[in-house]
Amino acid sequence: MGFLLDSGADTIPRWPLAGLRIYGGLVFCGASLAELMGRQAWPVPPNAALDPPAVLVLELLVGVALVLGAVSRAAALIGVALMAGRLIAAGLKPADLVSPGPNTAITILLLTVMLGRAGRVWGVDRLLAARWPRNPLW
Amino acid sequence: MVSVESERIVPLYTRAPRWTLVLLRLYLGAAFLRAAANKIGENWRPWPGWMAGFIHSQLPRTVPFYRGFLTAVVVPHAGFLAPAVACAEVAVGCCLLLGLATRGAAIIGAVLTLNYLLMKGGPFILPNNDPVFILGGIAVCVGAAGRAYGLDAFLHRRFPRVPLW
């Protein structure tokens, strides 16, 4: 509970970011597996086509990488690209930036994971960062 | 963020800079205001009826233990609770955007969204915005994100022991 009283030089504990990262990874894994099994996972019109298998495999890889915290910044960046594709497919509007819907929310989650290097706690990135601390991929 | 162990300086992995949460905080604030926009202004009068109707439509999917609470407490008092929800959303959105009393606003927002999540019985792992808001609210609260580029910076310097900011 130390975080309630600390004002430690403008730093924050990293574990909430890691929680966000793991949840984002689970969402990508769950969505890709659901679509691989034929169910529609993302908020699209009910008769819209499922994503092509290449996109689904990429989504699954991004999800696993986020859950494990491996190369988390690169995985989050690829995730943002996938989400941007979805936003554009749904008709990109300026109002999408503040929309409370799932597409924008998960995009912002991934951007936060990227900014905060969320793999360095509870993740493989800690080992990678010990060896290459300045690498922008994790 | 380094720690000095004997003579070696090692990076501290468990802390991150506070500005990394600001994007999340601003988005949560804007999203709460966008969600509240359906409930205020000219929608203020019909909103209690809409809320009761929406709850009824979601009842089959509600998480079982929450259903009793909805039918016994929320729907009968929708005339009071619906405007309260609208005001809470506007307040949480404004406070998060300004970085004012951020810890309190983030927790209130997370509890509000938890109620929505339980009501919708929503997908927990499949893409859904509610868990993002809950986990994001917890992150903003733990990290006190208002103290970076927000009014809480002044409040915290003046009253450092108040847990609201």
Side-chain angles (χ1 to χ4, degrees):
Chain A
M1 286 282 135
F3 67 83
L4 283 176
L5 290 180
D6 84 61
S7 59
D10 262 2
T11 65
I12 56 168
R14 209 171 227 145
W15 56 265
L17 296 174
L20 280 174
R21 176 201 98 219
I22 292 175
Y23 173 72
L26 288 176
V27 164
F28 269 64
C29 287
S32 60
L33 290 175
E35 293 215 356
L36 282 170
M37 293 193 294
R39 293 180 42 196
Q40 192 62 266
W42 293 92
V44 289
N47 292 330
L50 293 179
D51 294 322
V55 169
L56 296 180
V57 169
L58 190 59
E59 208 176 312
L60 186 59
L61 288 176
V62 166
V64 169
L66 285 175
V67 168
L68 293 178
V71 202
S72 58
R73 274 185 133 192
L77 185 60
I78 300 176
V80 168
L82 288 171
M83 298 302 307
R86 280 203 190 89
L87 283 170
I88 292 175
L92 191 58
K93 310 179 287 290
D96 278 341
L97 186 60
V98 297
S99 128
N103 286 331
T104 318
I106 294 184
T107 311
I108 301 283
L109 182 153
L110 290 173
L111 286 173
T112 305
V113 165
M114 267 185 65
L115 280 178
R117 293 182 188 253
R120 295 189 172 199
V121 166
W122 306 343
V124 172
D125 273 358
R126 176 186 295 243
L127 308 170
L128 291 171
R131 178 65 186 83
W132 299 282
R134 289 190 188 281
N135 195 307
L137 292 181
W138 51 72
Chain B
M1 285 156 290
V2 295
S3 76
V4 180
E5 302 174 355
S6 62
E7 284 115 22
R8 226 163 46 101
I9 296 186
V10 289
L12 208 57
Y13 303 110
T14 56
R15 314 283 303 185
R18 184 165 273 136
W19 55 262
T20 56
L21 284 180
V22 173
L23 173 69
L24 186 62
R25 182 194 103 214
L26 294 175
Y27 167 72
L28 289 180
F32 266 100
L33 285 180
R34 175 66 189 81
N38 297 334
K39 305 167 178 123
I40 60 173
E42 65 221 13
N43 297 330
W44 176 262
R45 295 213 169 277
W47 164 236
W50 287 352
M51 185 172 102
F54 186 58
I55 292 179
H56 276 300
S57 71
Q58 301 288 320
L59 273 181
R61 298 208 298 254
T62 302
V63 174
F65 72 85
Y66 194 66
R67 205 172 283 145
F69 173 71
L70 279 181
T71 49
V73 176
V74 177
V75 175
H77 302 290
F80 165 70
L81 285 177
V85 161
C87 294
E89 283 195 357
V90 171
V92 165
C94 290
C95 285
L96 285 177
L97 274 183
L98 294 173
L100 182 66
T102 315
R103 282 186 151 165
I107 283 297
I108 293 176
V111 168
L112 261 181
T113 315
L114 182 63
N115 278 291
Y116 302 155
L117 181 65
L118 292 176
M119 174 186 70
K120 294 183 218 167
F124 294 96
I125 294 295
L126 288 183
N128 186 17
N129 52 351
D130 290 329
V132 173
F133 279 55
I134 297 172
L135 294 173
I138 293 176
V140 166
C141 172
V142 168
R147 295 185 203 165
Y149 308 107
L151 296 179
D152 276 355
F154 307 113
L155 285 174
H156 178 70
R157 228 176 299 160
R158 181 70 185 81
F159 308 104
R161 297 219 159 247
V162 177
L164 274 181
W165 49 67

